[in-house]
C-alpha cells in the first residue's frame, strides 16, 4: 500500500503539512495519493540514522550483504502487479517497459550480490615486510577498498526503477557498505515508496542496521539541497539533467568538507554516418534511426539527438528517408506535462535558430502529453557557430548536421561537449580512412558504437556508462555495471598491523579465498 510517507530508516513519517501528488500523463489527471514532503528535521534524522548505521554496516561481511541485496530483489518481485500498475500510472510508460525495467533492476541487484559474495572487488594489495632491507627496513603494508559513508541518491524521471530508488546507484552503494538516503523523484513517488518498502523489508528480514536505507519525498529542490549540504553525507549519486547535476556538484564543492557528486547527465549521443554506410543501405539506416529517435518518446539519455554526415546526394537521401520514416511512427506519451512542455519549448528553440531547416515535424493531432517527433537539418558551419544547437532536446528529436568535408566533420566533433556515447556507421575499410574522425569522437565519449544505435544500455561488467563532462561529472567512472561500485569506496592501508586485527580480506590465511596482489603477484593463496 502507498502511504505517501517518508521512510526514516524503518519508520514511516509524515510531519509536514505540505503534500503533493503524482500525475498520470495518459489520463492527463493527477493521481490520488498525497505525498508528504520531508521536513528539515526528518532529513536530519534520516542522515543521523544513516551515519550510526554506517558504523555497523561497513563491517558486515560480503556474504551477508549479498543476502540483503538478493532479499531486496525478492521483495521487489513480490510487489508484482502493484508495482507495475503504479509505475505505469505515474509515467505513462507501457507495461512491457515497466516489466523490462523491473527485470533490469533485479538483475543489477543480483549482480552486486554476486560481486560482494565473491569478495575480490576490494582489490586487496599486500606488500610483506622486509625487516632486513638496507638502508631502511620495509614495513608490512596492506591496502583494500573501504566504503565512504552515507550516500544520497537522486534518481531520474525516465527510469523510475533502474536509475532510481533501488537502481544502480543504490545497489552499488549498498554493496560497497554505504547506507543510502534516496531523494525520491516527485514524478514517481508512489513507485519510489513501494520500492523503498521492499528495501526496508529486506533490511529487517536480513538483520541490517536500521538506517541502512531511507526514502525522502520532495517536490522541489529544498530536500536535495539540505541532503547534499549535510556534513554527515559523504557522497552523492545523481541521474538527471545537466542543470540539476551541475547545481548539486557546485553545492557539494562549496561545503566545508567537499564531497564527490557522481552525476550522470544528459547527452546528444552523436552518430557519424560515413559515405559507405549510405552506399550500402540508406533505407535501413533511415528506418533504424527513426525507431531509435522515437523509442520511449525519445526519453533516453542515449537518444541519438545529433547525426553528422558529409554533404552528398546520399546524405540528402538519408535525411529524406529518415524524415519520411519518422512521421510514420505513432507518437507516444511523455512522462509528465512538465517534460512535454520542456520538449515543446526546446524543440521550438531549435526551430527558431537561423539556418535550421525542419525536415519532419509530426503534424496530425495527438493526445495530451504525446510528443510529436521532429528532424531538423543544418549546415556544418552554422552548427559550429551556434552552441544552442549542441544542447540535448529531451524527447523524440534529432538534428542532422551536413558537413562540407572530412575536416569540418572532425572539427565539429572535437568542439562537441562530452557525451555518453558516439556511433560510427561505416565499414572496416572506410573506417581506416577516417581514423582522425574516430579518434576525435573517442575523445568526446565514454562508449563508441560500430554500425548500431546508441539506445539500449546492456548491463554487464564491460559496459561504460558515463563520459567526459557534461555527460558525467567524473569520466573515470561508470554508472552501469559492477564497476560502478568504485564511486562509493576509497583506498585504505594498514601499516605493520597485527594479523589478527586485520580485516579478513587482508589476513595472511586469506580466509575468504579472494584474489589478491601479494608482493606483486595476483593470487588467491595464503601467505
Ligand atoms: P532533473 O530535472 O535533473 O531531476 C532529477 C532529480 O534531481 C529530481 O529528483 C530533481 O528534484 C532533482 N534536482 C534537479 N535539479 C536540482 C537542484 N538544482 N537542486 C536539487 N535537486 C535537484 O532530471 P529529470 O527530468 O528527472 O531526468 C531527465 C534527464 O536525465 C535527461 O536530461 C536525461 O538525459 C537524463 N538522464 C541521464 C541518464 C544517465 O545515465 N546519464 C539516465 C537517465 C536520464 P525535483 O524534481 O524535486 O526538483
Amino acid at each position: 500500500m502507498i502511504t505517501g510517507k517518508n521512510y526514516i530508516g524503518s519508520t514511516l513519517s509524515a510531519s509536514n503539512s505540505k503534500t503533493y501528488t503524482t500525475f498520470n500523463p495518459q489520463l492527463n489527471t493527477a493521481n490520488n495519493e498525497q505525498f508528504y514532503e520531508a521536513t528539515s528535521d526528518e532529513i536530519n534524522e534520516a542522515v543521523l540514522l544513516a551515519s550510526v548505521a554506517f558504523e555497523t554496516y561497513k563491517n558486515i561481511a560480503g556474504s551477508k550483504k549479498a543476502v540483503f541485496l538478493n532479499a531486496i530483489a525478492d521483495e521487489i518481485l513480490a510487489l508484482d502487479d502493484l508495482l507495475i500498475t503504479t509505475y505505469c500510472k505515474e509515467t505513462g510508460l507501457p507495461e512491457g517497459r515497466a516489466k523490462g525495467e523491473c527485470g533490469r533492476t533485479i538483475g543489477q541487484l543480483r549482480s552486486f550480490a554476486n560481486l560482494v559474495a565473491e569478495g575480490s572487488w576490494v582489490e586487496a594489495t599486500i606488500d610483506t615486510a622486509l625487516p632486513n632491507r638496507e638502508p631502511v627496513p620495509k614495513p608490512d603494508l596492506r591496502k583494500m577498498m573501504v566504503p565512504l559513508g552515507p550516500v544520497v541518491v537522486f534518481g531520474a524521471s525516465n527510469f523510475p526503477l533502474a536509475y532510481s530508488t533501488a537502481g544502480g546507484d543504490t545497489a552499488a552503494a549498498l554493496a560497497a557498505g554505504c547506507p543510502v538516503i534516496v531523494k525520491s523523484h516527485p514524478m514517481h513517488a508512489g513507485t519510489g515508496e513501494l520500492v523503498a518498502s521492499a528495501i526496508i523489508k529486506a533490511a529487517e528480514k536480513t538483520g541490517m542496521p536500521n538506517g541502512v536505507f531511507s526514502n525522502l519525498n520532495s517536490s522541489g529542490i529544498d530536500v536535495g539541497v539540505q541532503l547534499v549540504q549535510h556534513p554527515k553525507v559523504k557522497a552523492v549519486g545523481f541521474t538527471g539533467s545537466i542543470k540539476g547535476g551541475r547545481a548539486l556538484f557546485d553545492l557539494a564543492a562549496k561545503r566545508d568538507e567537499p564531497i564527490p557528486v557522481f552525476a550522470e547527465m544528459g547527452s546528444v549521443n552523436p552518430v557519424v554516418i560515413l559515405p559507405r554506410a549510405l552506399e550500402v543501405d540508406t533505407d535501413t539506416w533511415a528506418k533504424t534511426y527513426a525507431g531509435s529517435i522515437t523509442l520511449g518518446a525519445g526519453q533516453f539519455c542515449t537518444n541519438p539527438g545529433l547525426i553528422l554526415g558529409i554533404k552528398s546526394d546520399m546524405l540528402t537521401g538519408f535525411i529524406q528517408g529518415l524524415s519520411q520514416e519518422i512521421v510514420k511512427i505513432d507518437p507516444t506519451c511523455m512522462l509528465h506535462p512538465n517534460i512535454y512542455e520542456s520538449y515543446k519549448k526546446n524543440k521550438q528553440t531549435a526551430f527558431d535558430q537561423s539556418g535550421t531547416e525542419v525536415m519532419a515535424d509530426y503534424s496530425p493531432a495527438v493526445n495530451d502529453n504525446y510528443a510529436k517527433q521532429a528532424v531538423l537539418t543544418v549546415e556544418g558551419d552554422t552548427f559550429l557557430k551556434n552552441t544552442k544547437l549542441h544542447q540535448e532536446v529531451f524527447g523524440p528529436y534529432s538534428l542532422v548536421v551536413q558537413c562540407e568535408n572530412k575536416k569540418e566533420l572532425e572539427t565539429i566533433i572535437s568542439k562537441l561537449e562530452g557525451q555518453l556515447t558516439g556511433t560510427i556507421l561505416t565499414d572496416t575499410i572506410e573506417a581506416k580512412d577516417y581514423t582522425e574522425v574516430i579518434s576525435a569522437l573517442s575523445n568526446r565519449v565514454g562508449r563508441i558504437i560500430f554500425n548500431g544505435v546508441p539506445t539500449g544500455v546492456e548491463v554487464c561488467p564491460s559496459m561504460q556508462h558515463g563520459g567526459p563532462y557534461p555527460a558525467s561529472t567524473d569520466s573515470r567512472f561508470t554508472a552501469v555495471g559492477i564497476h560502478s561500485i568504485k564511486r562509493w569506496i576509497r583506498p585504505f592501508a594498514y601499516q605493520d598491523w597485527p594479523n589478527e586485527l586485520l580485516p579478513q580480506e587482508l589476513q595472511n590465511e586469506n580466509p575468504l579465498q579472494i584474489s589478491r596482489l601479494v608482493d606483486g603477484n595476483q593470487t588467491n593463496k595464503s601467505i
Side-chain angles (χ1 to χ4, degrees), residues 157-158 183 185-186 220-221 238-241 244 264-266 301 392 465:
S157 56
N158 59 339
K183 197 297 254 178
H185 199 291
I221 68 167
F238 173 93
T239 309
S241 62
E264 301 302 326
M265 302 176 283
C301 48
E392 179 190 44
H465 193 64

Side-chain angles (χ1 to χ4, degrees), residues 373-392:
Q373 52 268 31
V375 172
L376 270 66
T377 184
V378 70
E379 302 269 320
D381 63 334
T382 311
F383 179 80
L384 260 180
K385 287 186 208 128
N386 186 350
T387 52
K388 273 193 189 152
L389 293 170
H390 299 209
Q391 307 309 313
E392 179 190 44

Side-chain angles (χ1 to χ4, degrees), residues 138-160:
K138 182 183 175 193
D140 181 285
L141 274 162
R142 302 184 182 218
K143 182 168 77 172
M144 64 181 274
M145 295 295 174
V146 297
L148 286 177
V151 167
V152 170
V153 170
F154 293 76
S157 56
N158 59 339
F159 279 95

Side-chain angles (χ1 to χ4, degrees), residues 91-237:
T91 62
L93 294 169
E95 190 182 301
R97 162 72 195 273
K99 288 187 170 159
E101 201 186 322
C102 190
R104 175 174 168 169
T105 309
I106 301 297
Q108 288 175 170
L109 286 159
R110 298 213 193 282
S111 69
F112 280 109
N114 292 340
L115 182 77
V116 293
E118 193 281 328
S120 303
W121 70 274
V122 298
E123 294 176 19
T125 306
I126 300 173
D127 288 292
T128 51
L130 294 173
N132 300 322
R133 190 181 69 173
E134 295 292 347
V136 281
K138 182 183 175 193
D140 181 285
L141 274 162
R142 302 184 182 218
K143 182 168 77 172
M144 64 181 274
M145 295 295 174
V146 297
L148 286 177
V151 167
V152 170
V153 170
F154 293 76
S157 56
N158 59 339
F159 279 95
L161 295 170
Y163 286 92
S164 283
T165 320
D169 284 359
T170 298
L174 291 176
C178 301
V180 170
I181 303 138
V182 165
K183 197 297 254 178
S184 166
H185 199 291
M187 292 182 195
H188 45 73
T191 306
E193 187 191 325
L194 289 174
V195 174
S197 74
I199 301 175
I200 295 296
K201 261 192 207 154
E204 286 174 345
K205 280 188 183 169
T206 59
M208 295 298 132
N210 188 20
V212 71
F213 179 81
S214 290
N215 185 55
L216 301 177
N217 294 322
S218 94
S219 59
I221 68 167
D222 299 348
V223 172
V225 167
Q226 192 182 329
L227 279 169
V228 173
Q229 288 179 324
H230 199 294
K232 290 198 180 295
V233 167
K234 299 299 173 201
V236 177

Side-chain angles (χ1 to χ4, degrees), residues 104 108 447 454-465 480-481:
R104 175 174 168 169
Q108 288 175 170
R447 173 165 61 106
T455 38
V457 179
E458 184 68 32
V459 182
C460 60
S462 50
M463 174 50 71
Q464 174 55 28
H465 193 64
V480 170

